[in-house]
Amino acid sequence: MGSSYKSAAFLIESRLADAARGDADACFDLGIAYSSGAGGLEVDLIEAHKWFNLSALSGSTRAAECRAEVADEMTAREIAEAQRQARAWLHATQRRAA
């Protein structure tokens, strides 16, 4: 159990750093991790939608497809929350880059 937690933590930390630099593949990987529970993570559809959305904004058609699939399992409130979190992430990372 501890090993899978460490694996999940490493995945998140490394991909978050790449995502903060605008890496669409890192955002996609985070979406996959949260949508599937990869690496011992708990499934979190709001987080998954957020990361797929950020990847899709960078032009990933795979991410747009995954975002739509995840959205089918979410309420309107959950989707709105995911979108709010994506906007907040963009705002925060753009401010750090400036």
Side-chain angles (χ1 to χ4, degrees):
M1 173 100 166
S3 177
S4 77
Y5 177 76
K6 288 179 185 176
S7 169
F10 177 76
L11 168 73
I12 298 303
E13 287 175 28
S14 66
R15 298 318 275 160
L16 277 173
D18 293 337
R21 288 189 290 276
D23 184 335
D25 290 333
C27 293
F28 181 81
D29 291 346
L30 288 164
I32 291 292
Y34 280 108
S35 66
S36 66
L41 285 174
E42 295 222 10
V43 172
D44 184 336
L45 297 183
I46 292 173
E47 279 292 311
H49 189 285
K50 173 181 96 176
W51 291 112
F52 286 138
N53 195 25
L54 291 166
S55 183
L57 288 171
S58 295
S60 172
T61 55
R62 290 183 311 159
E65 292 165 0
C66 290
R67 178 185 60 199
E69 288 176 22
V70 167
D72 284 343
E73 299 179 35
M74 298 171 70
T75 66
R77 281 194 174 139
E78 290 171 328
I79 293 168
E81 176 60 19
Q83 292 170 336
R84 186 196 67 72
Q85 289 182 20
R87 284 190 301 273
W89 171 265
L90 285 173
H91 181 71
T93 56
Q94 288 171 351
R95 286 181 61 190
R96 273 186 247 139

Short mmCIF file of all heavy atoms in Angstrom, two decimals, residues 4-70:
data_model
loop_
_atom_site.label_atom_id
_atom_site.label_comp_id
_atom_site.label_asym_id
_atom_site.label_seq_id
_atom_site.Cartn_x
_atom_site.Cartn_y
_atom_site.Cartn_z
N SER A 4 2.36 1.97 -3.47
CA SER A 4 1.47 2.54 -4.48
C SER A 4 1.18 4.01 -4.16
O SER A 4 1.02 4.82 -5.05
CB SER A 4 0.18 1.74 -4.62
OG SER A 4 -0.70 1.99 -3.57
N TYR A 5 1.13 4.36 -2.87
CA TYR A 5 0.93 5.75 -2.49
C TYR A 5 2.12 6.59 -2.94
O TYR A 5 1.95 7.68 -3.48
CB TYR A 5 0.72 5.88 -0.98
CG TYR A 5 0.59 7.32 -0.55
CD1 TYR A 5 -0.60 8.01 -0.76
CD2 TYR A 5 1.65 7.99 0.04
CE1 TYR A 5 -0.73 9.34 -0.39
CE2 TYR A 5 1.53 9.32 0.42
CZ TYR A 5 0.34 9.99 0.20
OH TYR A 5 0.23 11.30 0.56
N LYS A 6 3.33 6.08 -2.72
CA LYS A 6 4.54 6.79 -3.15
C LYS A 6 4.57 6.92 -4.66
O LYS A 6 4.96 7.95 -5.20
CB LYS A 6 5.79 6.07 -2.65
CG LYS A 6 6.02 6.22 -1.17
CD LYS A 6 7.26 5.47 -0.73
CE LYS A 6 7.41 5.53 0.76
NZ LYS A 6 8.54 4.73 1.24
N SER A 7 4.16 5.88 -5.36
CA SER A 7 4.11 5.90 -6.82
C SER A 7 3.13 6.97 -7.30
O SER A 7 3.43 7.73 -8.22
CB SER A 7 3.69 4.52 -7.34
OG SER A 7 3.39 4.56 -8.70
N ALA A 8 1.95 7.03 -6.69
CA ALA A 8 0.95 8.02 -7.07
C ALA A 8 1.46 9.43 -6.77
O ALA A 8 1.31 10.34 -7.58
CB ALA A 8 -0.36 7.76 -6.33
N ALA A 9 2.10 9.60 -5.61
CA ALA A 9 2.62 10.91 -5.25
C ALA A 9 3.69 11.36 -6.23
O ALA A 9 3.72 12.52 -6.64
CB ALA A 9 3.17 10.88 -3.82
N PHE A 10 4.58 10.44 -6.63
CA PHE A 10 5.61 10.79 -7.59
C PHE A 10 5.01 11.17 -8.94
O PHE A 10 5.41 12.16 -9.56
CB PHE A 10 6.60 9.63 -7.78
CG PHE A 10 7.64 9.92 -8.82
CD1 PHE A 10 8.69 10.78 -8.54
CD2 PHE A 10 7.54 9.38 -10.09
CE1 PHE A 10 9.65 11.07 -9.50
CE2 PHE A 10 8.48 9.68 -11.06
CZ PHE A 10 9.55 10.52 -10.77
N LEU A 11 4.02 10.40 -9.39
CA LEU A 11 3.34 10.70 -10.66
C LEU A 11 2.74 12.10 -10.61
O LEU A 11 2.97 12.91 -11.51
CB LEU A 11 2.23 9.68 -10.94
CG LEU A 11 1.28 10.06 -12.08
CD1 LEU A 11 1.97 9.91 -13.43
CD2 LEU A 11 0.02 9.22 -12.03
N ILE A 12 2.03 12.38 -9.56
CA ILE A 12 1.37 13.68 -9.44
C ILE A 12 2.39 14.81 -9.40
O ILE A 12 2.27 15.78 -10.14
CB ILE A 12 0.45 13.72 -8.19
CG1 ILE A 12 -0.66 12.68 -8.30
CG2 ILE A 12 -0.12 15.11 -7.98
CD1 ILE A 12 -1.53 12.81 -9.51
N GLU A 13 3.40 14.68 -8.57
CA GLU A 13 4.41 15.74 -8.45
C GLU A 13 5.12 16.01 -9.76
O GLU A 13 5.29 17.16 -10.16
CB GLU A 13 5.43 15.38 -7.37
CG GLU A 13 4.89 15.48 -5.96
CD GLU A 13 5.90 15.01 -4.93
OE1 GLU A 13 7.12 15.10 -5.18
OE2 GLU A 13 5.45 14.54 -3.87
N SER A 14 5.56 14.96 -10.43
CA SER A 14 6.32 15.16 -11.66
C SER A 14 5.44 15.70 -12.79
O SER A 14 5.86 16.58 -13.53
CB SER A 14 7.02 13.87 -12.09
OG SER A 14 6.07 12.88 -12.46
N ARG A 15 4.23 15.19 -12.89
CA ARG A 15 3.34 15.66 -13.96
C ARG A 15 2.79 17.05 -13.66
O ARG A 15 2.55 17.82 -14.58
CB ARG A 15 2.22 14.65 -14.22
CG ARG A 15 2.71 13.27 -14.67
CD ARG A 15 3.86 13.33 -15.68
NE ARG A 15 3.35 13.48 -17.04
CZ ARG A 15 4.07 13.93 -18.07
NH1 ARG A 15 5.32 14.26 -17.92
NH2 ARG A 15 3.54 14.04 -19.27
N LEU A 16 2.60 17.40 -12.39
CA LEU A 16 2.15 18.75 -12.05
C LEU A 16 3.20 19.78 -12.46
O LEU A 16 2.85 20.85 -12.98
CB LEU A 16 1.88 18.88 -10.55
CG LEU A 16 0.53 18.41 -10.06
CD1 LEU A 16 0.48 18.45 -8.53
CD2 LEU A 16 -0.60 19.23 -10.65
N ALA A 17 4.45 19.47 -12.22
CA ALA A 17 5.53 20.39 -12.61
C ALA A 17 5.53 20.59 -14.12
O ALA A 17 5.66 21.72 -14.60
CB ALA A 17 6.87 19.86 -12.13
N ASP A 18 5.35 19.50 -14.87
CA ASP A 18 5.31 19.61 -16.33
C ASP A 18 4.06 20.37 -16.78
O ASP A 18 4.11 21.18 -17.70
CB ASP A 18 5.34 18.22 -16.97
CG ASP A 18 6.66 17.50 -16.75
OD1 ASP A 18 7.69 18.18 -16.51
OD2 ASP A 18 6.68 16.26 -16.82
N ALA A 19 2.93 20.10 -16.14
CA ALA A 19 1.68 20.78 -16.49
C ALA A 19 1.79 22.28 -16.26
O ALA A 19 1.28 23.08 -17.05
CB ALA A 19 0.51 20.19 -15.70
N ALA A 20 2.47 22.66 -15.19
CA ALA A 20 2.65 24.08 -14.88
C ALA A 20 3.46 24.79 -15.96
O ALA A 20 3.33 26.00 -16.14
CB ALA A 20 3.32 24.25 -13.52
N ARG A 21 4.27 24.03 -16.69
CA ARG A 21 5.04 24.59 -17.79
C ARG A 21 4.26 24.53 -19.11
O ARG A 21 4.81 24.85 -20.16
CB ARG A 21 6.37 23.85 -17.93
CG ARG A 21 7.35 24.16 -16.82
CD ARG A 21 8.73 23.59 -17.09
NE ARG A 21 8.79 22.14 -17.00
CZ ARG A 21 8.94 21.44 -15.88
NH1 ARG A 21 9.05 22.07 -14.75
NH2 ARG A 21 8.98 20.13 -15.90
N GLY A 22 2.99 24.10 -19.04
CA GLY A 22 2.15 24.10 -20.23
C GLY A 22 2.19 22.82 -21.03
O GLY A 22 1.76 22.80 -22.19
N ASP A 23 2.68 21.74 -20.46
CA ASP A 23 2.78 20.46 -21.16
C ASP A 23 1.41 19.78 -21.23
O ASP A 23 0.89 19.29 -20.23
CB ASP A 23 3.78 19.57 -20.42
CG ASP A 23 4.06 18.24 -21.11
OD1 ASP A 23 3.19 17.75 -21.88
OD2 ASP A 23 5.14 17.68 -20.88
N ALA A 24 0.82 19.76 -22.42
CA ALA A 24 -0.52 19.17 -22.61
C ALA A 24 -0.52 17.68 -22.32
O ALA A 24 -1.52 17.15 -21.81
CB ALA A 24 -1.01 19.43 -24.04
N ASP A 25 0.58 16.99 -22.62
CA ASP A 25 0.66 15.55 -22.33
C ASP A 25 0.63 15.29 -20.82
O ASP A 25 0.04 14.32 -20.37
CB ASP A 25 1.91 14.93 -22.94
CG ASP A 25 1.84 14.87 -24.46
OD1 ASP A 25 0.72 14.80 -25.01
OD2 ASP A 25 2.91 14.89 -25.09
N ALA A 26 1.27 16.17 -20.05
CA ALA A 26 1.24 16.02 -18.60
C ALA A 26 -0.17 16.20 -18.08
O ALA A 26 -0.62 15.44 -17.21
CB ALA A 26 2.19 17.03 -17.95
N CYS A 27 -0.89 17.17 -18.61
CA CYS A 27 -2.28 17.37 -18.22
C CYS A 27 -3.11 16.14 -18.57
O CYS A 27 -3.93 15.68 -17.76
CB CYS A 27 -2.87 18.61 -18.91
SG CYS A 27 -2.13 20.16 -18.38
N PHE A 28 -2.88 15.60 -19.75
CA PHE A 28 -3.60 14.39 -20.16
C PHE A 28 -3.30 13.23 -19.21
O PHE A 28 -4.21 12.53 -18.77
CB PHE A 28 -3.23 14.01 -21.60
CG PHE A 28 -3.96 12.80 -22.10
CD1 PHE A 28 -5.25 12.90 -22.57
CD2 PHE A 28 -3.36 11.56 -22.07
CE1 PHE A 28 -5.95 11.78 -23.02
CE2 PHE A 28 -4.03 10.43 -22.51
CZ PHE A 28 -5.33 10.55 -23.00
N ASP A 29 -2.02 13.05 -18.88
CA ASP A 29 -1.63 11.97 -17.97
C ASP A 29 -2.31 12.12 -16.61
O ASP A 29 -2.74 11.14 -16.00
CB ASP A 29 -0.12 11.95 -17.78
CG ASP A 29 0.63 11.51 -19.03
OD1 ASP A 29 0.00 10.97 -19.97
OD2 ASP A 29 1.86 11.73 -19.07
N LEU A 30 -2.41 13.35 -16.12
CA LEU A 30 -3.10 13.59 -14.86
C LEU A 30 -4.59 13.25 -14.98
O LEU A 30 -5.17 12.68 -14.06
CB LEU A 30 -2.90 15.04 -14.41
CG LEU A 30 -1.49 15.35 -13.90
CD1 LEU A 30 -1.25 16.85 -13.86
CD2 LEU A 30 -1.26 14.73 -12.54
N GLY A 31 -5.19 13.60 -16.11
CA GLY A 31 -6.59 13.24 -16.34
C GLY A 31 -6.79 11.74 -16.33
O GLY A 31 -7.74 11.23 -15.71
N ILE A 32 -5.90 11.02 -16.97
CA ILE A 32 -5.98 9.55 -16.97
C ILE A 32 -5.83 9.01 -15.55
O ILE A 32 -6.59 8.14 -15.12
CB ILE A 32 -4.90 8.94 -17.89
CG1 ILE A 32 -5.21 9.24 -19.36
CG2 ILE A 32 -4.75 7.44 -17.66
CD1 ILE A 32 -6.44 8.55 -19.92
N ALA A 33 -4.86 9.53 -14.82
CA ALA A 33 -4.61 9.05 -13.46
C ALA A 33 -5.84 9.25 -12.58
O ALA A 33 -6.25 8.34 -11.85
CB ALA A 33 -3.40 9.77 -12.87
N TYR A 34 -6.44 10.43 -12.64
CA TYR A 34 -7.60 10.70 -11.79
C TYR A 34 -8.87 10.00 -12.28
O TYR A 34 -9.73 9.68 -11.47
CB TYR A 34 -7.84 12.21 -11.67
CG TYR A 34 -6.92 12.86 -10.67
CD1 TYR A 34 -5.88 13.68 -11.08
CD2 TYR A 34 -7.09 12.66 -9.31
CE1 TYR A 34 -5.04 14.28 -10.16
CE2 TYR A 34 -6.25 13.25 -8.38
CZ TYR A 34 -5.23 14.06 -8.82
OH TYR A 34 -4.39 14.64 -7.89
N SER A 35 -8.99 9.77 -13.56
CA SER A 35 -10.21 9.11 -14.05
C SER A 35 -10.19 7.60 -13.84
O SER A 35 -11.23 6.97 -13.76
CB SER A 35 -10.43 9.41 -15.53
OG SER A 35 -9.42 8.84 -16.34
N SER A 36 -8.99 7.03 -13.73
CA SER A 36 -8.88 5.58 -13.61
C SER A 36 -8.41 5.11 -12.24
O SER A 36 -8.45 3.92 -11.95
CB SER A 36 -7.92 5.06 -14.68
OG SER A 36 -6.60 5.53 -14.42
N GLY A 37 -7.91 6.03 -11.44
CA GLY A 37 -7.35 5.62 -10.15
C GLY A 37 -5.97 5.00 -10.30
O GLY A 37 -5.55 4.21 -9.48
N ALA A 38 -5.26 5.37 -11.35
CA ALA A 38 -3.92 4.81 -11.61
C ALA A 38 -2.96 5.14 -10.48
O ALA A 38 -3.05 6.20 -9.86
CB ALA A 38 -3.38 5.35 -12.93
N GLY A 39 -2.06 4.24 -10.23
CA GLY A 39 -1.01 4.46 -9.25
C GLY A 39 -1.51 4.58 -7.82
O GLY A 39 -0.86 5.17 -6.99
N GLY A 40 -2.68 4.04 -7.56
CA GLY A 40 -3.22 4.08 -6.20
C GLY A 40 -4.02 5.32 -5.87
O GLY A 40 -4.47 5.49 -4.74
N LEU A 41 -4.19 6.22 -6.84
CA LEU A 41 -5.02 7.40 -6.60
C LEU A 41 -6.49 7.00 -6.49
O LEU A 41 -6.91 6.02 -7.09
CB LEU A 41 -4.91 8.37 -7.79
CG LEU A 41 -3.66 9.19 -7.94
CD1 LEU A 41 -3.71 9.98 -9.24
CD2 LEU A 41 -3.50 10.13 -6.78
N GLU A 42 -7.23 7.79 -5.76
CA GLU A 42 -8.67 7.61 -5.75
C GLU A 42 -9.23 8.24 -7.01
O GLU A 42 -8.73 9.28 -7.47
CB GLU A 42 -9.27 8.28 -4.52
CG GLU A 42 -8.82 7.65 -3.23
CD GLU A 42 -9.95 7.49 -2.24
OE1 GLU A 42 -11.11 7.70 -2.59
OE2 GLU A 42 -9.63 7.15 -1.11
N VAL A 43 -10.25 7.61 -7.59
CA VAL A 43 -10.90 8.19 -8.77
C VAL A 43 -11.55 9.50 -8.35
O VAL A 43 -12.25 9.57 -7.34
CB VAL A 43 -11.95 7.22 -9.35
CG1 VAL A 43 -12.77 7.89 -10.44
CG2 VAL A 43 -11.28 5.97 -9.88
N ASP A 44 -11.27 10.57 -9.10
CA ASP A 44 -11.81 11.90 -8.84
C ASP A 44 -12.19 12.49 -10.20
O ASP A 44 -11.33 12.99 -10.92
CB ASP A 44 -10.79 12.75 -8.11
CG ASP A 44 -11.31 14.12 -7.71
OD1 ASP A 44 -12.26 14.63 -8.35
OD2 ASP A 44 -10.75 14.70 -6.77
N LEU A 45 -13.47 12.42 -10.54
CA LEU A 45 -13.90 12.85 -11.86
C LEU A 45 -13.79 14.36 -12.06
O LEU A 45 -13.56 14.82 -13.18
CB LEU A 45 -15.33 12.38 -12.14
CG LEU A 45 -15.51 10.86 -12.18
CD1 LEU A 45 -16.95 10.50 -12.52
CD2 LEU A 45 -14.55 10.20 -13.17
N ILE A 46 -13.91 15.12 -10.99
CA ILE A 46 -13.75 16.58 -11.11
C ILE A 46 -12.30 16.89 -11.50
O ILE A 46 -12.05 17.66 -12.43
CB ILE A 46 -14.16 17.30 -9.81
CG1 ILE A 46 -15.68 17.16 -9.62
CG2 ILE A 46 -13.74 18.77 -9.84
CD1 ILE A 46 -16.19 17.67 -8.29
N GLU A 47 -11.35 16.28 -10.81
CA GLU A 47 -9.93 16.48 -11.15
C GLU A 47 -9.64 15.96 -12.56
O GLU A 47 -8.91 16.61 -13.32
CB GLU A 47 -9.02 15.78 -10.14
CG GLU A 47 -8.80 16.55 -8.88
CD GLU A 47 -7.98 17.81 -9.08
OE1 GLU A 47 -6.91 17.77 -9.70
OE2 GLU A 47 -8.42 18.85 -8.58
N ALA A 48 -10.19 14.81 -12.90
CA ALA A 48 -9.96 14.24 -14.23
C ALA A 48 -10.47 15.19 -15.31
O ALA A 48 -9.77 15.48 -16.28
CB ALA A 48 -10.64 12.89 -14.34
N HIS A 49 -11.68 15.69 -15.14
CA HIS A 49 -12.27 16.61 -16.12
C HIS A 49 -11.41 17.86 -16.24
O HIS A 49 -11.14 18.34 -17.34
CB HIS A 49 -13.70 16.96 -15.70
CG HIS A 49 -14.47 17.73 -16.71
ND1 HIS A 49 -14.25 19.07 -16.95
CD2 HIS A 49 -15.46 17.35 -17.55
CE1 HIS A 49 -15.09 19.48 -17.91
NE2 HIS A 49 -15.82 18.44 -18.28
N LYS A 50 -10.98 18.40 -15.09
CA LYS A 50 -10.13 19.60 -15.10
C LYS A 50 -8.89 19.37 -15.95
O LYS A 50 -8.56 20.18 -16.83
CB LYS A 50 -9.72 19.96 -13.68
CG LYS A 50 -8.70 21.09 -13.60
CD LYS A 50 -8.31 21.40 -12.18
CE LYS A 50 -7.05 20.70 -11.79
NZ LYS A 50 -6.59 21.05 -10.43
N TRP A 51 -8.19 18.25 -15.73
CA TRP A 51 -6.93 18.01 -16.44
C TRP A 51 -7.18 17.70 -17.92
O TRP A 51 -6.42 18.15 -18.78
CB TRP A 51 -6.12 16.92 -15.75
CG TRP A 51 -5.61 17.41 -14.44
CD1 TRP A 51 -5.98 16.98 -13.20
CD2 TRP A 51 -4.68 18.46 -14.23
NE1 TRP A 51 -5.33 17.71 -12.24
CE2 TRP A 51 -4.52 18.62 -12.84
CE3 TRP A 51 -3.96 19.29 -15.09
CZ2 TRP A 51 -3.67 19.57 -12.29
CZ3 TRP A 51 -3.10 20.23 -14.53
CH2 TRP A 51 -2.96 20.36 -13.15
N PHE A 52 -8.23 16.95 -18.22
CA PHE A 52 -8.55 16.71 -19.63
C PHE A 52 -8.91 18.03 -20.31
O PHE A 52 -8.54 18.27 -21.46
CB PHE A 52 -9.71 15.72 -19.77
CG PHE A 52 -9.33 14.29 -19.48
CD1 PHE A 52 -10.18 13.48 -18.74
CD2 PHE A 52 -8.15 13.73 -19.96
CE1 PHE A 52 -9.86 12.15 -18.48
CE2 PHE A 52 -7.81 12.41 -19.70
CZ PHE A 52 -8.67 11.62 -18.96
N ASN A 53 -9.62 18.90 -19.60
CA ASN A 53 -9.99 20.19 -20.16
C ASN A 53 -8.75 21.02 -20.47
O ASN A 53 -8.64 21.62 -21.55
CB ASN A 53 -10.91 20.93 -19.19
CG ASN A 53 -11.64 22.09 -19.81
OD1 ASN A 53 -11.85 22.14 -21.01
ND2 ASN A 53 -12.04 23.04 -18.98
N LEU A 54 -7.80 21.07 -19.54
CA LEU A 54 -6.58 21.83 -19.76
C LEU A 54 -5.78 21.27 -20.93
O LEU A 54 -5.23 22.03 -21.73
CB LEU A 54 -5.74 21.85 -18.49
CG LEU A 54 -6.35 22.68 -17.34
CD1 LEU A 54 -5.65 22.37 -16.03
CD2 LEU A 54 -6.31 24.16 -17.66
N SER A 55 -5.74 19.96 -21.05
CA SER A 55 -5.04 19.35 -22.18
C SER A 55 -5.76 19.65 -23.49
O SER A 55 -5.13 19.96 -24.50
CB SER A 55 -4.92 17.84 -21.96
OG SER A 55 -4.19 17.24 -23.00
N ALA A 56 -7.09 19.58 -23.47
CA ALA A 56 -7.88 19.86 -24.67
C ALA A 56 -7.69 21.31 -25.12
O ALA A 56 -7.64 21.59 -26.32
CB ALA A 56 -9.35 19.56 -24.42
N LEU A 57 -7.57 22.22 -24.16
CA LEU A 57 -7.35 23.62 -24.51
C LEU A 57 -6.03 23.82 -25.26
O LEU A 57 -5.88 24.78 -26.01
CB LEU A 57 -7.36 24.49 -23.25
CG LEU A 57 -8.72 24.70 -22.60
CD1 LEU A 57 -8.58 25.39 -21.25
CD2 LEU A 57 -9.63 25.49 -23.52
N SER A 58 -5.10 22.90 -25.05
CA SER A 58 -3.82 22.96 -25.76
C SER A 58 -3.86 22.21 -27.08
O SER A 58 -2.85 22.05 -27.74
CB SER A 58 -2.71 22.37 -24.88
OG SER A 58 -2.53 23.17 -23.74
N GLY A 59 -5.05 21.71 -27.45
CA GLY A 59 -5.21 21.09 -28.75
C GLY A 59 -5.29 19.58 -28.78
O GLY A 59 -5.33 18.99 -29.86
N SER A 60 -5.31 18.93 -27.63
CA SER A 60 -5.36 17.47 -27.61
C SER A 60 -6.77 16.97 -27.89
O SER A 60 -7.68 17.17 -27.08
CB SER A 60 -4.89 16.94 -26.25
OG SER A 60 -5.11 15.54 -26.17
N THR A 61 -6.93 16.29 -29.01
CA THR A 61 -8.25 15.72 -29.33
C THR A 61 -8.55 14.51 -28.45
O THR A 61 -9.71 14.30 -28.09
CB THR A 61 -8.36 15.32 -30.82
OG1 THR A 61 -7.29 14.43 -31.15
CG2 THR A 61 -8.29 16.53 -31.72
N ARG A 62 -7.51 13.76 -28.07
CA ARG A 62 -7.71 12.63 -27.15
C ARG A 62 -8.28 13.13 -25.83
O ARG A 62 -9.18 12.53 -25.26
CB ARG A 62 -6.40 11.90 -26.85
CG ARG A 62 -5.81 11.12 -27.98
CD ARG A 62 -4.56 10.38 -27.53
NE ARG A 62 -3.63 11.27 -26.82
CZ ARG A 62 -2.69 10.87 -25.98
NH1 ARG A 62 -2.52 9.60 -25.73
NH2 ARG A 62 -1.91 11.72 -25.37
N ALA A 63 -7.74 14.24 -25.34
CA ALA A 63 -8.21 14.80 -24.07
C ALA A 63 -9.65 15.28 -24.19
O ALA A 63 -10.44 15.08 -23.27
CB ALA A 63 -7.30 15.95 -23.63
N ALA A 64 -10.00 15.88 -25.32
CA ALA A 64 -11.38 16.33 -25.51
C ALA A 64 -12.35 15.15 -25.49
O ALA A 64 -13.43 15.23 -24.91
CB ALA A 64 -11.50 17.11 -26.82
N GLU A 65 -11.94 14.05 -26.09
CA GLU A 65 -12.77 12.84 -26.09
C GLU A 65 -12.91 12.28 -24.68
O GLU A 65 -14.01 11.90 -24.26
CB GLU A 65 -12.18 11.79 -27.03
CG GLU A 65 -12.26 12.17 -28.49
CD GLU A 65 -11.37 11.32 -29.39
OE1 GLU A 65 -10.68 10.40 -28.89
OE2 GLU A 65 -11.36 11.59 -30.61
N CYS A 66 -11.81 12.22 -23.95
CA CYS A 66 -11.85 11.71 -22.58
C CYS A 66 -12.67 12.63 -21.68
O CYS A 66 -13.42 12.15 -20.82
CB CYS A 66 -10.44 11.55 -22.03
SG CYS A 66 -9.50 10.22 -22.80
N ARG A 67 -12.54 13.93 -21.89
CA ARG A 67 -13.33 14.90 -21.11
C ARG A 67 -14.82 14.65 -21.30
O ARG A 67 -15.59 14.64 -20.35
CB ARG A 67 -12.96 16.32 -21.51
CG ARG A 67 -13.74 17.41 -20.80
CD ARG A 67 -13.41 18.78 -21.34
NE ARG A 67 -13.73 18.85 -22.75
CZ ARG A 67 -13.24 19.76 -23.58
NH1 ARG A 67 -12.41 20.69 -23.14
NH2 ARG A 67 -13.58 19.76 -24.85
N ALA A 68 -15.23 14.40 -22.55
CA ALA A 68 -16.63 14.13 -22.84
C ALA A 68 -17.10 12.83 -22.17
O ALA A 68 -18.21 12.77 -21.63
CB ALA A 68 -16.85 14.06 -24.35
N GLU A 69 -16.25 11.82 -22.19
CA GLU A 69 -16.60 10.55 -21.55
C GLU A 69 -16.77 10.71 -20.04
O GLU A 69 -17.71 10.19 -19.44
CB GLU A 69 -15.54 9.49 -21.84
CG GLU A 69 -15.56 8.99 -23.26
CD GLU A 69 -14.43 8.01 -23.54
OE1 GLU A 69 -13.91 7.39 -22.58
OE2 GLU A 69 -14.07 7.86 -24.72
N VAL A 70 -15.85 11.45 -19.42
CA VAL A 70 -15.92 11.68 -17.98
C VAL A 70 -17.16 12.51 -17.65
O VAL A 70 -17.87 12.24 -16.69
CB VAL A 70 -14.63 12.36 -17.49
CG1 VAL A 70 -14.77 12.91 -16.09
CG2 VAL A 70 -13.46 11.39 -17.56
#
